[in-house]
Amino acid sequence: MKVRGVRGAITVEENTAAAVKDATRELLSRMMELNDIAVEDICFILFSATADIDAAYPASAAREMGLDMVPLLDVGQMAVQNGLRMCIRILMVFNTEKDHRDIKHVYLRGARVLRPDLIYSVAIDGPAGAGKSTVARIIADKLNLTYVDTGAMYRAITLKALEKGASRTAEIINIAEESSIEIKKGRIYLDGRDVTEEIRKPSVDQKVSKVACIPQVRQRLVKLQRKMAENYGVVMDGRDIGTTVLPDAKYKFYLTADIKVRAKRRYDEMLKKGIKTDLKKVEEELAERDRQDRERECSPLTVAEDAVIIDTTDKTPEEVVEEILSHIKRREKNVL
Ligand SMILES: Nc1ncnc2c1ncn2[C@@H]1O[C@H](COP(=O)(O)OP(=O)(O)O)[C@@H](O)[C@H]1O
Ligand SMILES: Nc1ccn([C@@H]2O[C@H](COP(=O)(O)OP(=O)(O)O)[C@@H](O)[C@H]2O)c(=O)n1
């Protein structure tokens, strides 16, 4: 095992013990979760706070989280003219097998401005089967960003509506408003239940675009999606990311491919999962879903003005990833 360090920072809105402890807990949990750090792997943790924070020691929140066997030290942050105010910084040193390039440093809330080179958003939109999720996952991994599959969120609401036999718009809106949806380590949780596989069922495929047409459902999910991108650097894929969810995303891509090729990809995927189907039927369903996604009134599938369009018809996923990374590398110096 090697000894490595991970950095993090977060801002607080007010100088109260509750705000300091809340922020410290949020930051520490996120640093440990993203880097697979167990308590027994931590060597020590240093905390600093700017001079405008004196309501509580950040380390006291760590102790309350069960890190009382870990050496902890609070120090005052050096004051620099016009430096970020109300900020808590953390340096955690721990044992790991990871390469230092794979360490995910975490900058939350107002502290994002400290490392714009690490924390930015990539939006990937396009129709079904264009290859969005395949490449988004790889890109997120290579850039140390968090992958957010927004289609999975619409699918989760659709799954719950099917399970509850809810078909009226008002009932579906209610489900969207009362449900908890979380994405952790590439898996999607609906009210705490892992539904990653279930949301890919053909019955969900058939209904999801209808659910996604309901403006109130979109409002609720877009709010959650923006919150995720506010807190972490993300690669987010969907239909309206570059146009509506993250219109200020630093990078925007629109993937497309011939409908016959997209249908064949989806058909092969289903065969692999042991789902017997008919290629023509898959193509018809895909075309119908595209139609509903393009024609709906609320945030339809369109190309953002500033998106780079990539036709993946004759490209392998590796070629698409290379093309996307070549655009990003022009502006980001840390990308290999
Ligand atoms: N460029 C590509 N060439 C060939 N197959 C691909 C390509 N991109 C994705 N695939 C395959 O096509 C299927 C659909 O891709 P996916 O990434 O799920 O598309 P989307 O997220 O746009 O719906 C997957 O089985 C994936 O392995
Ligand atoms: N940002 C998004 C993402 C998905 N969706 C809807 O959710 C459906 C499923 O999205 P998905 O990305 O899982 O679909 P696939 O392309 O993977 O089949 C889409 O057909 C859209 O109707 C949306 O409206 N807006």
Side-chain angles (χ1 to χ4, degrees):
M1 288 251 236
K2 297 186 182 63
V3 178
R4 303 224 180 269
V6 55
R7 268 300 317 277
I10 190 166
T11 49
V12 287
E13 299 241 313
E14 49 179 29
N15 179 26
T16 61
V20 170
K21 288 186 183 186
D22 257 16
T24 307
R25 261 195 304 273
E26 184 181 341
L27 180 57
L28 274 176
S29 327
R30 189 67 185 162
M31 289 166 75
M32 291 174 69
E33 179 198 321
L34 281 179
N35 293 288
D36 302 310
I37 303 172
V39 176
E40 57 271 23
D41 295 331
I42 304 176
C43 307
F44 63 85
I45 311 175
L46 273 183
F47 301 82
S48 86
T50 42
D52 44 15
I53 297 176
D54 62 4
Y57 292 113
S60 62
R63 266 200 305 279
E64 285 165 21
M65 283 169 73
L67 298 176
D68 44 347
M69 298 300 286
V70 178
L72 310 170
L73 180 66
D74 289 294
V75 296
Q77 176 66 32
M78 174 187 167
V80 169
Q81 289 171 13
N82 301 322
L84 185 64
R85 297 181 60 244
M86 302 285 268
C87 185
I88 296 167
R89 290 171 169 87
I90 293 181
L91 168 63
M92 186 187 295
V93 175
F94 62 108
N95 288 302
T96 181
E97 299 291 357
K98 287 184 198 279
D99 188 86
H100 77 275
R101 287 186 198 293
D102 296 327
I103 304 299
K104 288 192 161 87
H105 304 288
V106 185
Y107 291 81
L108 303 179
R109 305 187 196 160
R112 281 173 67 111
V113 300
L114 296 173
R115 294 302 301 269
D117 56 327
L118 295 181
I119 317 288
Y120 52 87
S121 301
V122 179
I124 304 186
D125 289 302
K132 301 179 299 295
S133 55
T134 306
V135 302
R137 210 169 264 123
I138 303 173
I139 302 274
D141 199 47
K142 288 196 185 268
L143 300 179
N144 253 341
L145 300 173
T146 301
Y147 169 52
V148 179
D149 175 356
T150 61
M153 299 168 80
Y154 289 94
R155 286 173 178 273
I157 299 298
T158 309
L159 175 70
K160 189 158 167 185
L162 287 170
E163 284 174 350
K164 287 191 140 190
S167 55
R168 286 175 36 236
T169 302
E171 291 174 299
I172 300 174
I173 294 171
N174 206 23
I175 288 174
E177 277 166 4
E178 62 164 39
S179 304
S180 123
I181 297 182
E182 290 173 294
I183 301 181
K184 284 192 227 152
K185 294 186 188 270
R187 306 203 60 88
I188 178 139
Y189 296 85
L190 171 67
D191 300 325
R193 175 179 132 218
D194 186 342
V195 292
T196 313
E197 274 79 35
E198 271 178 277
I199 58 167
R200 306 280 155 201
K201 289 195 296 200
S203 56
V204 175
D205 282 342
Q206 283 154 19
K207 280 276 174 310
V208 61
S209 289
K210 284 215 165 61
V211 170
C213 277
I214 305 171
Q216 292 90 333
V217 171
R218 300 200 72 79
Q219 272 161 26
R220 155 91 169 121
L221 295 191
V222 167
K223 206 165 158 194
L224 282 180
Q225 292 154 11
R226 287 191 181 138
K227 186 97 202 133
M228 291 173 181
E230 222 171 74
N231 273 332
Y232 330 116
V234 294
V235 178
M236 194 175 270
D237 82 342
R239 302 295 187 285
D240 58 341
I241 312 304
T243 51
T244 305
V245 183
L246 306 175
D248 297 327
K250 192 163 182 188
Y251 300 97
K252 296 182 186 179
F253 298 92
Y254 184 92
L255 305 192
T256 180
D258 182 86
I259 174 92
K260 290 221 174 309
V261 170
R262 293 192 282 118
K264 178 71 167 62
R265 289 176 184 168
R266 210 19 69 85
Y267 172 76
D268 288 344
E269 196 177 71
M270 290 166 97
L271 279 191
K272 251 196 224 154
K273 283 191 205 157
I275 303 171
K276 275 208 136 190
T277 183
D278 172 67
L279 181 57
K280 183 118 189 54
K281 187 166 164 250
V282 174
E283 185 180 328
E284 280 167 10
E285 280 181 9
L286 220 58
E288 174 54 21
R289 197 138 65 84
D290 281 356
R291 188 191 64 73
Q292 291 184 34
D293 289 344
R294 288 199 172 99
E295 291 180 3
R296 67 171 175 239
E297 274 186 24
C298 185
S299 306
L301 169 66
T302 48
V303 187
E305 260 178 25
D306 45 350
V308 174
I309 301 175
I310 302 177
D311 187 333
T312 72
T313 306
D314 298 314
K315 293 189 169 96
T316 63
E318 293 73 25
E319 287 170 330
V320 181
V321 167
E322 244 342 284
E323 194 168 336
I324 292 180
L325 285 179
S326 76
H327 282 279
I328 298 179
K329 277 179 199 167
R330 282 180 212 155
R331 287 168 67 191
E332 301 301 326
K333 57 180 185 322
N334 288 337
V335 179
L336 286 184

